[in-house]
Amino acid sequence: MTAPKRHITISGELGSGKSTVADRLARMYGHRLVSAGNINRAIAADRNLSEVDLNLLAETDQSIDAQVDSETRRLATDGHPAVFDGHIAWRIVDDAFKVHLLIDPDVAAGRLYASRASAVEHYGSVDEAKAALEKRYASERRRYRARFGVDEARLENYDLVIDTSDATVEQIIDAIRLVYEGEAREELIIMASPRRLLPGYDVVSDRRSSQWNIPHPEVAYCRPYMCFCNGHLRIAKAIESEDPFIDVRLRAEDNGELEPGVSAKDCLGHISPEWVESWSQKYSLDLRTP
């Protein structure tokens, strides 16, 4: 076994459970927990702002990011192993195993609506929570792109990506532990939720039998959608077994080329509603065409 990297960074979409996962991992491995969210929330409370408004302010006030980054760098180099809970800690911390968590936006909004209430941040409905999540996410993504030249939504930034939409905390922790403690691998590992994968082809009439049951189906990704390019029998088996994850491989994301002249975004845009409806009905899924 190759020795695990010293630090672990946990980033993820809002509501994906990254803070809970980071806390559990820190306690399990005896690592220090470093939370960028706690720093941000303290700054927001001190200014009587919501986290959404603080993020919008941070687009012009660079001192907010500078304060978080300075503390992260200091703790990453003081000799103590740590779990860093932060959206872009992965770009700062060397010798780190980089984990990123995904989630269905509707599931995230439901979680946030049920759990988040404070004097400066509360929501009247799930739809209101979803709108706030997307506003905050868009603000952070713009800020990180402009200030640091990085896009946290790019899956290729990470060692392990996990969709937490249909998984318990224990299942997420187990998945991270198995990869973190296992043999070192150069390729990105994606643990997708089989119930969230969209069909990228007509699974009823397709005749590419050699690609139906491959060990690791290939996917195209353009947030928040992920579609499979092959391997639907393997995915169907995972759904029927009620597995929280299926190990897939990233073939292309966003404007990356899926095949000559076709990007991941193009592929998702060309998914037929009939394919989605047929797949959803067969396996009792609640999927929507992009």
Side-chain angles (χ1 to χ4, degrees):
M1 178 188 297
T2 302
K5 293 181 178 179
R6 185 159 57 103
H7 300 305
I8 300 172
T9 63
I10 306 291
S11 62
E13 297 179 345
L14 302 169
S16 63
K18 68 181 183 64
S19 295
T20 300
V21 168
D23 179 68
R24 290 281 293 273
L25 286 171
R27 287 190 281 116
M28 183 172 72
Y29 287 113
H31 286 15
R32 170 192 287 151
L33 176 64
V34 179
S35 171
N38 285 346
I39 299 172
N40 276 319
R41 279 186 284 275
I43 297 171
D46 186 58
R47 301 188 185 199
N48 197 32
L49 296 172
S50 70
E51 290 181 64
V52 173
D53 288 338
L54 181 73
N55 280 316
L56 292 173
L57 177 62
E59 291 185 29
T60 56
D61 185 350
Q62 297 189 16
S63 68
I64 297 170
D65 283 333
Q67 183 176 345
V68 176
D69 284 4
S70 176
E71 183 67 1
T72 299
R73 287 192 177 91
R74 183 185 72 78
L75 294 172
T77 57
D78 72 354
H80 298 284
V83 176
F84 292 85
D85 169 14
H87 288 289
I88 54 172
W90 54 270
R91 75 175 179 85
I92 299 172
V93 181
D94 295 326
D95 192 23
F97 179 66
K98 302 172 183 180
V99 181
H100 186 68
L101 306 182
L102 305 177
I103 189 169
D104 183 313
D106 290 325
V107 175
R111 290 179 182 177
L112 187 67
Y113 175 67
S115 64
R116 185 67 61 83
S118 69
V120 294
E121 190 170 16
H122 58 275
Y123 311 102
S125 68
V126 173
D127 286 343
E128 187 178 326
K130 184 177 180 180
L133 281 174
E134 287 304 307
K135 182 178 180 181
R136 181 175 158 198
Y137 181 87
S139 169
E140 290 178 345
R141 197 174 181 185
R142 282 195 306 270
R143 183 166 104 238
Y144 300 149
R145 279 173 165 171
R147 191 158 299 165
F148 307 116
V150 298
D151 185 353
E152 66 165 320
R154 293 284 294 180
L155 304 188
E156 292 174 343
N157 292 325
Y158 309 103
D159 299 308
L160 174 64
V161 173
I162 300 179
D163 188 331
T164 68
S165 302
D166 299 304
T168 65
V169 174
E170 289 72 21
Q171 289 167 331
I172 299 165
I173 295 296
D174 284 345
I176 294 172
R177 180 182 58 79
L178 287 172
V179 179
Y180 177 60
E181 296 180 6
E183 294 293 333
R185 294 163 64 176
E186 294 298 324
E187 63 189 357
L188 164 65
I189 300 170
I190 300 178
M191 306 303 292
S193 167
R195 300 183 65 83
R196 276 235 293 152
L197 291 171
L198 292 165
Y201 56 93
D202 185 351
V203 297
V204 175
S205 62
D206 187 86
R207 294 294 179 266
R208 298 171 298 169
S209 59
S210 63
Q211 298 186 42
W212 283 358
N213 200 32
I214 64 174
H216 305 295
E218 295 176 309
V219 298
Y221 177 73
C222 188
R223 183 187 180 271
Y225 299 105
M226 189 178 289
C227 75
F228 57 86
C229 307
N230 46 38
H232 71 267
L233 290 184
R234 184 58 61 95
I235 296 166
K237 182 178 179 181
I239 294 171
E240 291 170 341
S241 301
E242 298 184 351
D243 295 336
F245 309 120
I246 182 169
D247 189 349
V248 301
R249 295 293 179 267
L250 182 65
R251 188 158 158 182
E253 60 181 316
D254 296 328
N255 292 316
E257 196 169 69
L258 187 70
E259 55 187 59
V262 180
S263 68
K265 187 178 292 185
D266 293 334
C267 177
L268 283 157
H270 293 155
I271 290 176
S272 165
E274 287 74 23
W275 301 350
V276 176
E277 182 179 0
S278 174
W279 182 253
S280 295
Q281 287 183 352
K282 186 173 179 62
Y283 296 104
S284 300
L285 307 175
D286 182 22
L287 295 173
R288 294 172 296 281
T289 307

